Amino acid sequence: MKQFAFHAKIHGKVQGVGFRYYTVQEAKKTGVYGWVKNIENGDVEVWAEGSQKNIDSFLKWLYRGPAGARVSSIEKDDIPVQGFKEFNIEY
């Protein structure tokens, strides 16, 4: 199955609300691999890859985020697949 990947910066109230933890849970649920991390400016950064269907589902969730988060916008770029085998929090 063809794999797709994207890199995104999620803007809004996305730190201090469990965004990274819930992003890992959603990635595992949707079959997406990569990582998530907080950025010093208050945004969250995501690198994700998987099938188009899984990526679309995961991205739809990112626009909502977990309860308590308020996503104002997402900057997204398509990127080459790296072959991640899991989804983790990066520090």
Side-chain angles (χ1 to χ4, degrees):
M1 183 180 300
K2 186 166 172 66
Q3 298 290 296
F4 299 88
F6 71 86
H7 172 257
K9 290 183 182 173
I10 296 95
H11 307 284
K13 182 183 177 201
V14 292
Q15 288 191 18
V17 293
F19 202 98
R20 292 176 299 165
Y21 172 80
Y22 288 108
T23 298
V24 170
Q25 300 309 307
E26 188 64 23
K28 289 178 180 178
K29 189 168 94 176
T30 57
V32 171
Y33 306 102
W35 51 261
V36 60
K37 72 177 180 178
N38 284 343
I39 306 174
E40 288 181 17
N41 69 356
D43 295 335
V44 169
E45 187 174 12
V46 173
W47 182 297
E49 51 190 54
S51 70
Q52 188 66 61
K53 178 182 173 189
N54 294 357
I55 288 291
D56 289 347
S57 176
F58 182 65
L59 190 58
K60 184 177 178 182
W61 181 87
L62 285 177
Y63 275 98
R64 289 188 319 266
R70 297 292 174 261
V71 176
S72 60
S73 65
I74 293 181
E75 292 177 59
K76 177 186 155 296
D77 295 306
D78 293 330
I79 54 173
V81 173
Q82 298 296 306
F84 287 101
K85 302 293 185 210
E86 55 189 13
F87 198 97
N88 296 303
I89 296 174
E90 297 285 316
Y91 297 96

